[in-house]
Amino acid sequence: MKDDRIELASQRDLDQVYEPAEDSHLLAETAREYVGTDDLVLEVGTGSAYVATALATTGAEVVATDVNPMACREAYEAGLSTVRANLVEPFRDHCFDVVAFNPPYLPTDPDHEFDDWMERALSGGEDGRAVIDPFLATVRRVLVDDGVVLLLVSSLTDIDAVRASAAAGGLTTREVAEESHPFERLVVLELRPDDP
Ligand SMILES: C[S@@+](CC[C@H](N)C(=O)[O-])C[C@H]1O[C@@H](n2cnc3c(N)ncnc32)[C@H](O)[C@@H]1O
């Protein structure tokens, strides 16, 4: 009986944490190329810790964050330094060499939103940029001057609007990887400080 309860509880947790998909894979493979063994790396919104774990195989020190406590537990149990955080809020200025983020980006009709952790993992609000825009407005602060951000975005999210937000946040963007799927094009943007 006790074991059944534990199994049910962990199944509920799994249902509330984003499972790695094509977007996770594209970001992990691309970001790995940017990470050096001496780097301090931040993965924002780690979910199952798939991307952070891939980046840690380089030998770099990786910090994983999420707003979802169940995702934080998965990252912690995977052996990563883990912080429950909203975006980059708790971190000091100019400390990370690389920041990676696969954000919630699906444009969502507010009338159809469900207020649960999986919704927080997927929904980018009405224009898909409800989480991306505040991230771009604040991430420059935690980057070292020659640091880099790798951001996964989708054609569903208006990539030109994302580039404009990045420019407003002091970051120059470049498309460095892409993959086409039936309903969307996934892109990884490299963002670097425009005033290093
Ligand atoms: C699309 S999932 C990506 C999960 C994982 N990184 C991957 O690629 O498989 C987005 C993740 O961002 C997290 N998230 C959403 N809003 C956040 C915020 N404001 N700060 C930190 N994490 C956030 C969600 O909880 C979710 O785990």
Side-chain angles (χ1 to χ4, degrees), residues 56-97:
T57 62
T58 61
E61 169 133 16
V62 179
V63 178
T65 77
D66 209 292
V67 281
N68 178 349
M70 289 166 279
C72 291
R73 186 164 72 192
E74 289 204 22
Y76 179 75
E77 287 175 355
L80 296 159
S81 302
T82 307
V83 181
R84 186 174 182 215
N86 177 32
L87 301 176
V88 299
E89 269 175 20
F91 300 107
R92 63 182 166 79
D93 293 358
H94 308 302
C95 61
F96 292 105
D97 300 288

Side-chain angles (χ1 to χ4, degrees), residues 18 20 24 43 45-47 51 66-68 85-87 102-104 120-121:
Y18 185 85
S24 323
E43 191 205 358
T46 196
V51 175
D66 209 292
V67 281
N68 178 349
N86 177 32
L87 301 176
N102 176 13
R120 293 283 297 268

Side-chain angles (χ1 to χ4, degrees), residues 34 140 143 145-149 170-174 190-195:
Y34 286 79
R140 169 74 182 92
L143 264 193
D145 283 344
D146 61 349
V148 61
V149 177
L171 297 158
T172 302
T173 54
R174 192 165 73 94
E190 171 202 276
L191 302 95
R192 293 186 182 274
D194 55 21
D195 58 345

